[in-house]
Amino acid sequence: MTTAFDPIDLSGSRLGNRIVMAPMTRSRAGEGGVATDLTAEYYAQRASAGLIVTEGIQPSVVGQGYPDTPGLHSAAQVAGWRKVTDAVHAAGGRIFAQIMHAGRIGHPVLLPEGLVNVAPSPVAAEGQVFTAEGPKEFITPRELTGAEVRATIGDFVTAARNAIDAGFDGVELHGANGYLIHQFLAPGSNRRTDEWGGSPENRVRFAVEVAKAVTAEIGAERTGFRVSPGNPFNDISEPDPEPVYIALAKELAALDLAYLHVMEVGEIRDLSNRLRKEFGGTFVLSPQTEGPTSHGALALVEDGTADLIAFGALFLANPDLPARLRTEGPYNTPDQSTFYGGTEKGYTDYPTL
């Protein structure tokens, strides 16, 4: 019987186990969106994961959605991430960069003067974003032109190339949680009538074209893709997600990506199973659970539901999580007050066993 503690081959790269550190925004980048020495320490502490997926990294200046998030679009940012990847590799780990364009999520005060947030359609999300000036209501974004859609795909490609130059083992394209790729997938935020909107086949086009362009640049074996079907986070409306995500899984299957990563929100296990079948390749699952995901989720590897299991807040608070899962605890409790921004407190000071 295969267990979560067994190694796995990920497109030619050996992972020591099947336990993934899920991407989590921490808002602790330095000036200019540059990863710091503290960032390197944070990820290196968690190198016992089979695979680390970083926090979301913006591929362009306008892709930033939150304060103090890191980028991969400048030489300084590439150099900062090189310190991180070197530290993780020295500790025996593997690390993918999650490329995340926030789209309509964010606010112009987080961007250089003159820039506004962009999206598939000029539809504002309900809610607020935290800024240095306090909470701000999401604005109505500017609709991307057809040419700008193509240019944005190019931004993902450049960020992916920068990730490899920075020493990452690969990238994960963030198509979940209400950010730009997800905004194209969802009918509530994508009301276009051109080739990028309307039918499920058109709404998946942006996601597919990003994946195609990135794999052409860095290789399919170094490219993963994350989705969260039906997830209402960031005011996403997807009343009937199945046709869109089945169509997307079929398209991504043809690209032979390193993996498909499904984040479950709500009772969608049947859809997760369909997506695993349609994709056909390595399948990573962030399962829907009651309370913090713990060792019980590892059974999903044993029964074949997933090839790898991703853990979020539990990994944030337990840098040696694989060891704790093996012994079924004890677990440190995540301190939500230190999730975003701040110093080493709640970042690199959680104890190991």
Side-chain angles (χ1 to χ4, degrees):
M1 177 181 66
T2 299
T3 77
F5 302 103
D6 292 330
I8 185 173
D9 180 89
L10 184 67
S11 295
S13 180
R14 184 183 184 276
L15 307 184
N17 59 59
R18 296 159 184 253
I19 298 166
V20 177
M21 177 179 170
M24 291 172 282
T25 295
R26 303 306 309 271
S27 290
R28 282 173 166 85
E31 184 176 354
V34 176
T36 66
D37 290 344
L38 197 62
T39 313
E41 181 182 357
Y42 167 72
Y43 284 114
Q45 286 178 345
R46 290 154 179 81
S48 63
L51 177 66
I52 293 171
V53 184
T54 70
E55 61 212 273
I57 305 173
Q58 55 257 14
S60 61
V61 172
V62 77
Q64 182 170 352
Y66 301 106
D68 302 321
T69 52
L72 260 173
H73 53 82
S74 76
Q77 291 165 353
V78 172
W81 281 116
R82 170 59 76 172
K83 295 180 181 179
V84 176
T85 60
D86 284 349
V88 170
H89 291 150
R94 295 288 180 267
I95 183 167
F96 272 39
Q98 189 193 63
I99 303 179
M100 174 186 128
H101 190 305
R104 67 178 184 171
I105 300 304
H107 195 276
V109 300
L110 298 170
L111 306 177
E113 186 174 354
L115 289 182
V116 298
N117 305 86
V118 296
S121 301
V123 180
E126 292 287 335
Q128 297 179 321
V129 64
F130 180 80
T131 76
E133 301 176 6
K136 298 278 189 181
E137 296 288 331
F138 292 128
I139 67 160
T140 299
R142 185 175 62 77
E143 179 176 293
L144 290 163
T145 66
E148 289 171 335
V149 171
R150 290 290 178 186
T152 302
I153 294 171
D155 291 337
F156 276 89
V157 172
T158 299
R161 169 47 57 193
N162 286 343
I164 300 306
D165 291 345
F168 282 101
D169 298 293
V171 304
E172 178 179 279
L173 302 175
H174 195 359
N177 296 359
Y179 302 113
L180 184 65
I181 293 177
H182 199 180
Q183 291 161 27
F184 271 93
L185 294 172
S189 49
N190 183 353
R191 303 181 185 178
R192 302 176 73 100
T193 56
D194 61 3
E195 63 182 314
W196 305 103
S199 67
E201 291 74 22
N202 279 1
R203 279 186 280 124
V204 305
R205 191 184 307 277
F206 180 73
V208 173
E209 291 300 315
V210 169
K212 284 181 177 179
V214 168
T215 58
E217 180 69 21
I218 67 169
E221 74 281 0
R222 296 196 286 198
T223 307
F225 202 103
R226 194 185 203 206
V227 295
S228 58
N231 183 2
F233 188 62
N234 282 323
D235 197 33
I236 285 291
S237 174
E238 287 184 303
D240 185 21
E242 185 167 328
V244 172
Y245 288 92
I246 295 299
L248 177 60
K250 289 179 177 179
E251 293 275 8
L252 296 180
L255 300 180
D256 197 25
L257 301 183
Y259 64 80
L260 177 64
H261 182 177
V262 173
M263 176 183 174
E264 292 183 333
V265 177
E267 300 299 323
I268 67 160
R269 181 57 54 78
D270 286 348
L271 179 54
S272 297
N273 292 338
R274 283 284 311 277
L275 295 177
R276 175 173 172 75
K277 180 180 178 181
E278 295 292 349
F279 180 67
T282 301
F283 189 72
V284 181
L285 187 66
S286 292
Q288 176 73 39
T289 61
E290 295 295 330
T293 305
S294 63
H295 62 272
L298 302 183
L300 297 170
V301 172
E302 297 168 9
D303 68 15
T305 299
D307 296 302
L308 300 99
I309 297 294
F311 296 85
L314 203 62
F315 228 130
L316 178 156
N318 296 274
D320 55 346
L321 183 59
R324 291 176 185 264
L325 289 168
R326 190 182 285 276
T327 59
E328 300 187 11
Y331 301 109
N332 300 322
T333 302
D335 177 5
Q336 295 191 26
S337 70
T338 61
F339 277 7
Y340 308 110
T343 62
E344 74 282 352
K345 180 175 172 55
Y347 192 53
T348 58
D349 64 348
Y350 283 106
T352 57
L353 286 174

